[in-house]
Amino acid sequence: MSLSLLVGRLERFREQRRVLGVLNAVGTRRRVLGLSVLWQTLVPMALGLVLAAAAGLLTGAVLQYSAGVSAAVDRDAMLTMSGIAAAAVLLTTVLGLPQLLRLMSPGALRHE
């Protein structure tokens, strides 16, 4: 999961090479761009987790109701999956920062 996020992030950096060079040339702080990478990874992951949890809880409740079993929620499993997703987001961001900083160089403005 984290590897596919990282590969996608690095490909987007490569596609946006000139944009990153221009942002650096006009004085955008590296910290701001680093935080934008975090948010660009965090928001889709959080939305996916919320939608998956809601759909899973609804499906489980319907199945348990139709089977005549009392509804139960495994909070530990949900927290574990949320923690794994948060770790994947942080790992992807940390591993993508060196490539981001490398592409923010003035040489990124050159175009063949």
Side-chain angles (χ1 to χ4, degrees), residues 9-10 19 39 45 51-52 62 93 95 100 106:
R9 173 64 50 207
L10 294 178
V19 173
W39 281 107
M45 182 70 78
L51 290 174
V62 168
T93 302
L95 292 177
L100 172 70

Side-chain angles (χ1 to χ4, degrees), residues 50-104:
V50 167
L51 290 174
L57 287 173
L58 180 65
T59 304
V62 168
L63 288 173
Q64 288 177 344
Y65 176 77
S66 64
V69 179
S70 63
V73 176
D74 188 4
R75 289 186 181 94
D76 291 337
M78 292 182 70
L79 288 174
T80 301
M81 289 307 296
S82 298
I84 290 171
V89 167
L90 290 175
L91 182 67
T92 301
T93 302
V94 168
L95 292 177
L97 284 178
Q99 179 74 11
L100 172 70
L101 297 177
R102 195 174 316 123
L103 290 175
M104 286 179 62

Side-chain angles (χ1 to χ4, degrees), residues 13-14 16-24 100-112:
F13 284 160
R14 215 171 302 151
Q16 298 175 346
R17 181 180 190 153
R18 292 194 68 197
V19 173
L20 293 170
V22 168
L23 285 171
N24 188 36
L100 172 70
L101 297 177
R102 195 174 316 123
L103 290 175
M104 286 179 62
S105 67
L109 290 174
R110 294 188 193 136
H111 187 64
E112 289 108 29

Side-chain angles (χ1 to χ4, degrees), residues 29-59:
R29 294 182 181 170
R30 292 174 184 238
R31 179 178 175 220
V32 170
L33 289 176
L35 287 174
S36 75
V37 170
L38 176 66
W39 281 107
Q40 289 173 10
T41 309
L42 178 70
V43 170
M45 182 70 78
L47 286 174
L49 276 174
V50 167
L51 290 174
L57 287 173
L58 180 65
T59 304

